[in-house]
Amino acid sequence: MGDVPDGVAGRPAERHRLGTGARRAGLLGPRAHRPQHRLARRPERLRLIYLAIGAGLYTYYAQHPVARLPRPDEIFPFFIRSAMPELLRGLMLSAIVLASIDSPLGSLAASFVTDIYRPLLAPGKSERHYLRVSRAAVIVFGLILAGLAYGFSFFENFLWLAFKIAGVTFGSLLGVFLLGLLTRVRANRANVAAMIIMALVNLALLVMSEYGVMPLGWSWLVIFGTVGTMALASVLAKVLDRAPAPRPVSP
C-alpha cells in the first residue's frame, strides 16, 4: 500500500479517513480542488466583465464625445438611455427589473405554499406537486404585482402614497414587536385582535385625513398603531390568552 501505515490497509474506516485527509491536504492531485479553483476564478471573471464595460464606455465616448457627461456612476445608465439600441435597451431594463423582483416573488410564492396552500388547501400532496404550485404562484404573483404597478402609475406622488398605505399596518407590527421585546405579557390571540383593530382604526384615520375631515400626517399613523396595539394587546391578553385553570388532582 506504499505510504499507508501498517494495519490500515485492512480497515475501511481508516482508509476512508486517510483518503479524506489526503484530499484535504491536496495529496490526490489538482482534480480534488477543482471546485475551489472554480470559486476562486469567479471574482476574477466579474472583474474582467466590469473592466471590459468600463473600457468600452471610455472608448465609445472618446470616439463620440458629448457636450456634458454625467457623474462617473451615472455614465452607464446614460449610455443605456441615449446610445444603446432599443432592443438591447429593453433587454437590459428587463434584466434589471427581474433582478430586483425575483426575491419578493420567491418569498411570496414560498409563503403562500408553506403557510396557506400546503396546510390548509392541499395537505398530504407530493413534493413535486408543491413545486409545480410554487412555480405557478410565482407567475400569478408576478401578474398581480405588474397590475398593481400599472394601476399606481396613474397616481401622482406615488412615494407618499406608499408611505401612507404602509403606515396603516407598520404601527401594528412595531407594537407587537415591542410588546414581546419589552414586556412579559403572554398575548397570542390578543396580538392578532389588537393588530386587526388598530389597522382598521388607522385605515379610518387615513381616509378621514385624505378627505380633509381630520388633518393628520401619515407618520402619526405609525405612532398611533404602535401605542394602540401595545395597549390593546395588554388588555385583551387577560381575556383571550388566560392560562387554563389547573385540573384538580384526583385522590
Side-chain angles (χ1 to χ4, degrees):
M1 295 295 292
D3 296 333
V4 179
D6 295 337
V8 173
R11 287 179 287 180
E14 295 294 338
R15 289 203 307 270
H16 174 71
R17 283 197 292 269
L18 181 63
T20 304
R23 290 188 184 93
R24 291 177 179 175
L27 300 178
L28 298 184
R31 295 178 63 88
H33 287 274
R34 184 167 295 177
Q36 287 80 357
H37 289 312
R38 290 177 180 174
L39 292 175
R41 284 198 297 266
R42 287 181 182 177
E44 297 177 359
R45 293 175 181 175
L46 290 177
R47 293 192 194 99
L48 290 177
I49 292 174
Y50 294 148
L51 290 174
I53 293 174
L57 290 173
Y58 178 83
T59 304
Y60 178 83
Y61 284 111
Q63 298 178 358
H64 304 83
V66 294
R68 181 176 177 273
L69 281 175
R71 297 183 309 177
D73 58 344
E74 296 178 353
I75 292 178
F76 193 35
F78 178 78
F79 172 78
I80 294 174
R81 185 175 66 252
S82 60
M84 186 173 285
E86 294 183 357
L87 178 60
L88 293 179
R89 189 187 310 167
L91 292 176
M92 182 68 69
L93 293 177
S94 300
I96 293 173
V97 171
L98 290 176
S100 61
I101 67 172
D102 59 343
S103 297
L105 288 178
S107 299
L108 287 172
S111 299
F112 170 74
V113 173
T114 304
D115 299 332
I116 298 177
Y117 185 81
R118 187 167 190 165
L120 301 178
L121 301 179
K125 300 291 184 179
S126 64
E127 294 297 328
R128 184 181 296 273
H129 173 79
Y130 295 127
L131 178 61
R132 289 197 298 264
V133 173
S134 64
R135 290 174 177 174
V138 169
I139 298 175
V140 173
F141 283 119
L143 294 175
I144 293 174
L145 292 179
L148 290 175
Y150 179 75
F152 282 116
S153 64
F154 295 100
F155 289 89
E156 297 181 357
N157 299 325
F158 171 71
L159 183 60
W160 293 111
L161 178 63
F163 284 151
K164 292 176 182 178
I165 296 175
V168 174
T169 56
F170 277 3
S172 299
L173 294 174
L174 182 59
V176 170
F177 174 76
L178 293 178
L179 185 69
L181 182 66
L182 303 178
T183 68
R184 295 185 177 181
V185 177
R186 296 182 57 184
N188 293 325
R189 297 184 182 91
N191 282 337
V192 177
M195 289 178 66
I196 294 174
I197 293 173
M198 288 310 303
L200 294 176
V201 171
N202 280 344
L203 181 61
L205 292 175
L206 177 61
V207 172
M208 288 190 293
S209 66
E210 289 296 312
Y211 282 97
V213 178
M214 178 187 298
L216 185 67
W218 66 268
S219 56
W220 284 102
L221 299 177
V222 180
I223 299 175
F224 291 156
T226 302
V227 176
T229 301
M230 294 181 67
L232 279 176
S234 300
V235 174
L236 295 177
K238 300 176 182 179
V239 179
L240 299 179
D241 293 287
R242 287 186 302 178
R247 295 181 179 179
V249 179
S250 58

